[in-house]
């Protein structure tokens, strides 16, 4: 797509209510060159010719969603996730999301930079919206340490994810976590963790299989809530020793969410990311009699069988105990899931979410009365932009911001279904859910890319977005603490009396 076409489009969004995370105001929005130029009442940009006018009467005009957690075309568990960077980002814009942050994940022993370059080469020709990449740290060495530095300084990466689960594949131990967190801190990056105790999962899986439990329910039974809560607490403890900011991806349980909540109330710099799945459905599905239905919900950490979990997590999200929403979008169709038909440990882990996240959060969060429209914008876009240092280019509608904008109809409803969604998968974990809150028009960098069910987008139109280190939203407190909260030695007169002459050494 020639970039002039995008740049030349001039847009006027008229008559809507502009909603940012801090306040809402009736205003028009004028966009040129992919950037917001004016926000205010009754705008009449000159010249009037060549101007595309979008009527937003009775609608909300919100910053495009940022999905902090996706895995497009991810080679994983003997398969590759179904949504690639094309179908995945196309589905995203249909759902009102204009940026995703995916993960480049090297195998143990392999180069982080090569992984980054590989993922970028997959994404660049395919993406329909802007994107960035977190990078996985799956092993430790001086080379890894150096590569983290290069990624931050020359590749625009400011977040690294460490796995405490997936033993022998991605899992790192506490010493490696300590080293990786220390390097994140040094570089001004955000440390992210997949928080589950991988050793207990491995033992639990063996136990379930030995008991004859081979179906998807075994997936939850082998890694119950405390396995997630323990790792969450451990990661927070290690990060806090280093004064390194921590981001806990996919918060799935009440127990883990409570750990994060308590840590925040103790002043620790930690952020929790519930996902569309954990906010919109629950783990009772693993006990469904239909194997394909149950397997379709398998992801790690699992959804929890306590059906009050989604409500609980949404309340914490509404009240700032949890901070942002992602999806962990990593879709596998029924045929791929069937790799584990006789053994739940072989079911590829992953569910959908990138298309439905915004509507699910609106329905369960805003329509339910738990949060207002401004908090909705905060948890679907602004907070992610702040934490990952994209703000106010992303996550805000203001003069100078990227024109990633969604015209949102809070009154309209839609029913989620695999029959009508735009994802490549044949299954949807939110099947049949009726959601208030529908994206009518999605604008990416000033271009209308989706409107009323019709796409106007080409593969590769999205761009890679660099993220500088030391996001002020996260690091201001951290740096101040480093200056003033260091322990100092007690000043004493030297000890001058006798010292035992012969220290006893063990035989
Ligand atoms: Zn993930």
């Amino acid at each position: 797509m020639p970039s002039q076409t995008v740049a030349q489009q001039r847009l006027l969004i008229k008559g809507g209510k502009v909603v940012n995370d801090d306040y809402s105001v009736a205003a028009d929005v004028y966009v040129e060159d992919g950037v917001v130029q004016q926000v205010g009442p009754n705008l009449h940009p000159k010249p009037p010719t060549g101007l595309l006018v979008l009527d937003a009467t009775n609608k909300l005009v919100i910053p495009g969603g940022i999905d902090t957690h996706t895995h497009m075309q991810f080679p994983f568990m003997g398969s590759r996730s179904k949504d690639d960077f094309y179908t995945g980002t196309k589905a995203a814009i249909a759902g009102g999301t204009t940026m995703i942050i995916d993960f480049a994940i090297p195998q143990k022993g392999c180069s982080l930079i090569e992984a980054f370059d590989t993922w970028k080469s997959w994404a660049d020709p395919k993406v329909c919206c802007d994107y960035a990449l977190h990078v996985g740290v799956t092993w430790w060495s001086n080379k890894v340490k150096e590569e983290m530095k290069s990624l931050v300084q020359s590749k625009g990466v400011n977040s690294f994810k460490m796995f405490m689960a997936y033993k022998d594949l991605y899992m790192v131990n506490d010493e490696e976590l300590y080293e990786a967190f220390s390097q994140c801190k040094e570089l001004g990056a955000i440390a992210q963790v997949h928080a589950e105790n991988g050793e207990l999962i491995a033992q639990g899986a063996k136990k379930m299989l030995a008991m004859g439990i081979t179906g998807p329910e075994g997936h939850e039974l082998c890694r119950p809530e405390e396995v997630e809560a323990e790792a969450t607490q451990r990661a927070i403890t290690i990060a806090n020793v280093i004064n390194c900011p921590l981001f806990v991806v996919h918060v799935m349980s009440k127990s883990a969410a409570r750990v994060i909540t308590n840590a925040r109330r103790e002043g620790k710099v930690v952020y929790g990311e519930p996902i569309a799945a954990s906010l919109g459905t629950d783990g009772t599905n693993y006990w469904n009699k239909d194997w394909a239905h149950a397997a379709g919900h398998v992801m790690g950490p699992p959804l929890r069988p306590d059906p009050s979990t989604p409500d609980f997590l949404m309340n914490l999200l509404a009240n700032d105990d949890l901070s942002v929403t992602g999806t962990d979008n990593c879709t596998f169709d029924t045929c791929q899931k069937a790799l584990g038909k006789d053994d739940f440990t072989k079911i590829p882990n992953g569910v959908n979410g990138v298309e439905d996240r915004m509507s699910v959060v609106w329905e369960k969060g805003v329509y339910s009365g738990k949060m207002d429209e401004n908090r909705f914008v905060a948890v679907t876009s602004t907070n992610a932009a702040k934490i990952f240092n994209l703000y106010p280019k992303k996550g805000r509608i203001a003069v100078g911001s990227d024109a990633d904008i969604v015209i949102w109809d809070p009154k309209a409803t839609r029913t989620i279904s695999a029959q009508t969604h735009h994802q490549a998968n044949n299954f949807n974990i939110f099947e049949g859910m009726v959601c208030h809150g529908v994206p009518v028009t999605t604008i990416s960098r000033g271009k209308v890319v989706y409107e009323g069910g019709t796409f106007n987008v080409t593969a590769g139109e999205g761009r890679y977005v660099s993220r500088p280190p030391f996001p002020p939203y996260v690091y201001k407190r951290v740096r101040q603490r480093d200056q003033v909260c260091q322990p100092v030695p007690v000043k004493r007169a030297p000890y001058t009396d006798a010292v035992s002459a012969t220290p006893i050494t063990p035989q």
Side-chain angles (χ1 to χ4, degrees):
M1 192 76 186
S3 56
Q4 297 110 303
T5 319
V6 178
Q8 279 166 4
Q9 196 159 25
R10 297 166 61 235
L11 293 181
L12 180 63
I13 306 166
K14 271 204 90 62
K17 179 161 73 160
V18 174
V19 181
N20 278 311
D21 69 315
D22 49 357
Y23 75 114
S24 307
V25 61
D28 299 344
V29 179
Y30 174 58
V31 171
E32 195 179 321
D33 294 332
V35 172
V36 175
Q37 307 288 346
Q38 283 178 281
V39 181
N42 303 313
L43 298 180
H44 295 284
K46 299 278 183 317
T49 50
L51 185 67
L52 179 62
V53 180
L54 300 166
D55 180 14
T57 309
N58 296 324
K59 311 277 196 308
L60 307 180
V61 180
I62 62 175
I66 299 171
D67 187 337
T68 48
H69 191 154
T70 67
H71 301 277
M72 304 306 176
Q73 61 194 80
F74 180 32
F76 186 50
M77 294 184 77
S79 209
R80 183 184 277 272
S81 62
K82 196 88 183 164
D83 279 296
D84 65 8
F85 280 97
Y86 177 64
T87 61
T89 53
K90 210 173 154 186
I93 60 178
T97 288
T98 53
M99 180 167 179
I100 61 165
I101 314 183
D102 208 272
F103 291 84
I105 303 178
Q107 299 296 312
K108 276 187 191 289
C110 294
S111 158
L112 278 62
I113 292 172
E114 275 173 32
F116 173 88
D117 290 340
T118 301
W119 258 262
K120 193 161 180 298
S121 75
W122 292 340
D124 282 335
K126 289 190 180 176
V127 280
C128 298
C129 66
D130 284 359
Y131 80 102
L133 292 169
H134 311 290
V135 176
V137 175
T138 55
W139 61 296
W140 191 253
S141 72
N142 275 334
K143 182 182 177 222
V144 171
K145 191 175 173 183
E146 281 309 305
E147 288 200 335
M148 287 172 75
K149 190 174 174 186
S150 305
L151 285 163
V152 169
Q153 294 181 347
S154 53
K155 304 274 189 178
V157 172
N158 72 7
S159 47
F160 295 92
K161 178 181 177 183
M162 280 60 74
F163 293 85
M164 300 168 81
Y166 298 115
K167 195 184 168 192
D168 302 327
L169 180 62
Y170 297 138
M171 189 169 100
V172 290
N173 63 29
D174 288 3
E175 184 185 0
E176 292 166 322
L177 276 181
Y178 186 93
E179 295 288 353
F181 287 2
S182 299
Q183 180 66 342
C184 284
K185 167 75 184 298
E186 178 76 24
L187 298 170
I190 312 293
Q192 300 176 288
V193 281
H194 173 133
E196 282 187 295
N197 185 317
E199 188 57 47
L200 292 183
I201 294 169
Q203 297 296 342
K206 272 191 251 170
K207 187 171 148 193
M208 291 306 141
L209 291 172
M211 290 167 76
I213 299 171
T214 58
E217 69 280 10
H219 175 75
E220 205 284 334
L221 291 168
C222 79
R223 56 212 293 172
E225 286 201 26
E226 59 262 37
V227 171
E228 185 186 355
E230 182 276 329
T232 305
Q233 181 66 62
R234 185 153 39 99
I236 290 171
T237 306
I238 296 169
N240 190 57
V241 168
I242 303 159
N243 190 20
C244 173
L246 183 70
F247 184 99
V248 181
V249 305
H250 49 42
V251 178
M252 302 301 289
S253 66
K254 288 182 171 182
S255 316
R258 279 197 196 96
V259 168
I260 293 167
T261 299
N262 289 341
R264 283 173 68 86
R265 289 174 188 189
E266 289 160 3
K268 295 179 175 119
V269 183
V270 54
Y271 305 95
E273 171 204 69
I275 59 173
S278 61
L279 294 165
T281 184
D282 64 57
T284 57
N285 290 291
Y286 297 130
W287 278 263
N288 193 290
K289 288 285 169 60
D290 175 4
W291 185 89
H293 177 97
H297 290 78
V298 166
M299 64 166 299
L303 294 158
R304 300 304 174 183
D306 176 348
S308 64
T309 304
D311 245 19
F312 183 89
L313 296 178
M314 188 60 84
N315 282 326
L316 296 189
L317 183 65
N319 292 299
D320 207 29
D321 293 307
L322 299 172
S323 304
V324 300
T325 53
T327 58
D328 203 4
N329 190 92
C330 187
T331 47
F332 295 100
D333 66 18
T334 309
C335 184
Q336 293 173 300
K337 291 273 183 183
L339 288 167
K341 68 185 173 55
D342 303 315
D343 176 350
F344 66 83
T345 66
K346 298 190 167 63
I347 301 171
N349 284 203
V351 298
N352 62 289
V354 73
E355 181 168 357
D356 299 320
R357 177 182 65 115
M358 300 285 279
S359 287
V360 167
V361 176
W362 187 275
E363 177 67 21
K364 304 281 184 184
V366 184
Y367 185 75
S368 71
K370 292 185 192 299
M371 66 174 73
D372 61 24
E373 65 205 21
N374 306 102
R375 182 67 191 165
F376 173 79
V377 166
V379 301
T380 55
S381 180
T382 311
N383 289 355
K386 289 178 177 173
I387 292 169
F388 295 110
N389 218 2
L390 300 160
Y391 186 84
K393 201 162 95 89
K394 306 287 188 193
R396 187 161 190 86
I397 297 177
V399 174
S401 296
D402 282 357
D404 289 354
I405 298 172
V406 175
I407 302 178
W408 186 264
D409 188 342
K411 299 267 166 54
T413 60
R414 71 182 184 101
T415 304
I416 297 176
S417 173
Q419 306 302 314
T420 50
H421 71 197
H422 301 90
Q423 301 206 226
N425 203 19
N426 70 339
F427 187 81
N428 191 313
I429 55 167
F430 308 113
E431 187 70 37
M433 186 189 291
V434 179
C435 287
H436 295 79
V438 174
V440 182
T441 307
T442 305
I443 298 158
S444 169
R445 286 208 195 238
K447 184 192 165 195
V448 176
V449 287
Y450 175 84
E451 188 168 29
T454 306
F455 291 94
N456 174 30
V457 73
T458 315
E461 234 172 70
R463 290 185 216 168
Y464 175 75
V465 183
S466 284
R467 297 173 295 137
F470 295 106
Y473 181 73
V474 175
Y475 264 91
K476 274 194 225 169
R477 285 190 286 168
V478 169
R479 285 173 143 175
Q480 182 66 11
R481 287 177 196 186
D482 278 345
Q483 285 173 27
V484 303
C485 304
Q486 296 301 331
V488 287
V490 176
K491 285 184 182 141
R492 298 183 178 92
Y495 175 84
T496 51
D497 283 348
V499 176
S500 175
T502 49
I504 295 169
T505 48
Q507 297 298 309

